[in-house]
């Protein structure tokens, strides 16, 4: 085959990065070649995200640029991943994209490419609603700076059953399904053998991970693995591997999970716990299935069981019917918790979701913007406050690479997922170093090696 060099660009979350790894593995197994840069590639795959309007706008802009490349060279452009019906229709009308591969059809991606090269449309009739890609092993790919990669993502659940009213994910990624625990353990062991030191278990809602296996049909015996058991198994099987996970849904997080995190040193002490809003009225409209009080209670439980745990959040500002009091409820909740860090967004209605169909996007743009800025500014203050707690402490840091700002510094993270930089000496990527924290910004701990 003449045209077999492919290049992937990511426009989404960690789940998209993990999907790109799956696709890379599938294509390499079919004789395709991964290109380090766009110029060498004939097949360009854009891994899309529809979760917020902004990600779609970025993708539209990127496609406008690629249109020019298409004029000078034989290239085929495919959109993969988390795309909505609307964006697919938009690109189809504009004739900018050659093929679309939804998340459950990655195994057939070679066919999509072959047909496209022949000028035909590949129609996939196999709808694999229970696809988990559990048997696909990742390939070792170097980072852009040619650094050895020592951290990896691994999806343990796909899809989501939660139906938060603002969210497109249940429509783009389908119903929730969990991967077989044996395949997860096998893949983590393989990663460790190949030099990976940290794995992040991914799912829209990892706490609802569930695997039920009939052990002995006659005696009605079942092997049930929930998220706490999976974590426990992994921590014991690969004691030298750091284990992270994301995302936790406050509604499903149990004390059992917290106990397991606390029990094992190699399970990192960080929980990403999206709250979305501090107002009960808004949480109800969002169909989040927990109240502000229940969320605060859970945070207290985390602090009781894992005192050193860091907590991060997602917050959406300006959701339908949000008034000034609702916004203040969010501000007050943030003040009460003082999160280590967070991801903050202004609400954008996504076609197809309940909120888009049934609720009014009635918070004016300038107010959404003002509230979001207040939330961002407050988070920056809290992040700085939390970072100060580390001054003078010695942190165990897994070195991931050179600092982007200064190549004389190493860059890594501590168990709380906080970024630590320190002057390069002795160590290498993948080593653990003990670093005494001397200074901080709101996003970075700056330290020196303890020898
Ligand atoms: N508008 C703004 N933010 C959204 N998110 C999901 N859907 C939307 C939307 N329509 C945010 C949520 C979620 C994170 C991944 O993206 O905070 O937790
Ligand atoms: Fe979307 Fe809610 Fe599922 Fe998260 S839990 S992916 S916000 S529907």
């Amino acid at each position: 085959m003449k045209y077999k060099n492919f290049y992937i660009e990511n426009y989404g979350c960690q789940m998209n990065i993990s999907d790109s790894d799956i696709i890379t593995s599938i294509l390499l197994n079919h004789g395709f070649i991964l290109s380090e840069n766009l110029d060498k590639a004939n097949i360009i795959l854009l891994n899309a995200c529809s979760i917020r309007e902004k990600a779609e706008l970025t993708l539209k802009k990127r496609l406008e640029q690629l249109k020019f490349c298409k004029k000078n060279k034989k290239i085929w452009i495919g959109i993969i991943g988390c795309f909505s019906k609307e964006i697919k229709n938009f690109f189809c009308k504009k004739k900018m994209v050659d093929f679309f591969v939804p998340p459950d059809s990655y195994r057939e991606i070679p066919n999509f490419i072959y047909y496209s090269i022949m000028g035909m449309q590949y129609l996939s009739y196999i709808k694999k609603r229970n696809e988990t890609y559990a048997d696909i092993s990742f390939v070792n790919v170097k980072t852009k700076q040619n650094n050895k990669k020592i951290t990896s993502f691994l999806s343990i659940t796909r899809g989501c059953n939660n139906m938060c009213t603002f969210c497109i994910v249940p429509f783009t990624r389908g119903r929730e399904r969990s991967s077989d625990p044996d395949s997860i353990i096998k893949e983590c062991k393989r990663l460790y053998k190949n030099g990976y030191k940290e794995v992040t278990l991914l799912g829209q809602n990892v706490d609802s991970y569930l695997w039920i296996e009939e052990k002995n049909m006659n005696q009605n015996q079942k092997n049930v693995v929930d998220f706490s058991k999976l974590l426990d198994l992994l921590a014991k099987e690969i004691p030298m591997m750091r284990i992270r996970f994301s995302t936790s849904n406050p509604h499903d997080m149990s004390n059992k999970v917290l106990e397991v995190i606390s029990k094992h040193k190699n399970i990192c002490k960080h929980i990403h716990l999206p709250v979305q809003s501090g107002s009960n009225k808004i949480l109800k409209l969002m169909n989040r299935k927990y109240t502000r009080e229940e969320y605060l209670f859970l945070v207290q439980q985390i602090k009781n069981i894992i005192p050193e745990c860091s907590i991060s959040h997602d917050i959406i500002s300006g959701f339908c019917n949000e008034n000034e009091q609702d916004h203040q409820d969010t501000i007050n909740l943030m003040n009460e918790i003082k999160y280590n860090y967070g991801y903050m967004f202004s609400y954008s209605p996504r076609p197809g979701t309940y909120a888009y169909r049934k609720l009014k996007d009635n918070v004016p743009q300038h107010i959404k913007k003002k509230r979001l800025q207040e939330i961002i500014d407050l988070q920056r203050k809290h992040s700085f406050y939390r970072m100060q707690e580390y001054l003078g402490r010695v942190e165990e840091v897994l070195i991931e690479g050179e600092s982007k700002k200064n190549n004389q510094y190493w860059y890594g993270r501590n168990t709380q997922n906080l970024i630590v930089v320190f002057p390069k000496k002795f160590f290498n990527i993948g080593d653990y170093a003990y670093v005494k924290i001397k200074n901080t910004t709101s996003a970075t701990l700056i330290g020196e090696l303890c020898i």
Side-chain angles (χ1 to χ4, degrees), residues 51-52 166-167 274 276 314-316 345-348 350:
I51 204 151
R52 288 174 297 275
F166 53 81
C167 185
Q276 313 298 2
D314 287 347
I315 289 177
I316 299 178
F345 314 101
S346 140
Y347 171 61
S348 56
R350 309 311 295 129

Side-chain angles (χ1 to χ4, degrees), residues 73-125:
K73 197 179 152 195
K74 268 203 173 312
I75 57 171
W76 289 268
I77 300 174
I79 299 222
I80 57 179
C82 201
F83 53 82
S84 60
K85 255 192 217 154
E86 283 70 22
I87 197 94
K88 183 176 173 185
N89 291 341
F90 173 87
F91 289 134
C92 280
K93 264 191 212 142
K94 295 227 162 193
K95 296 199 167 65
M96 284 151 100
V97 177
D98 299 291
F99 57 95
F100 293 85
V101 190
D104 289 340
S105 304
Y106 295 153
R107 283 183 205 270
E108 294 175 277
I109 193 167
N111 285 345
F112 282 92
I113 297 174
Y114 299 141
Y115 271 64
S116 188
I117 291 175
M118 290 186 298
M120 289 150 66
Q121 202 74 31
Y122 179 69
L123 291 177
S124 161
Y125 292 107

Side-chain angles (χ1 to χ4, degrees), residues 254-268:
S254 70
N255 278 6
K256 251 166 61 188
V257 169
L258 300 179
E259 305 282 357
V260 173
I261 301 171
S262 146
K263 190 168 99 184
H264 296 284
K265 181 175 183 283
N266 60 329
I267 304 182
C268 290

Side-chain angles (χ1 to χ4, degrees), residues 27 94 131 211 339:
L27 287 177
K94 295 227 162 193
E131 178 63 89
W211 182 264
Y339 291 98

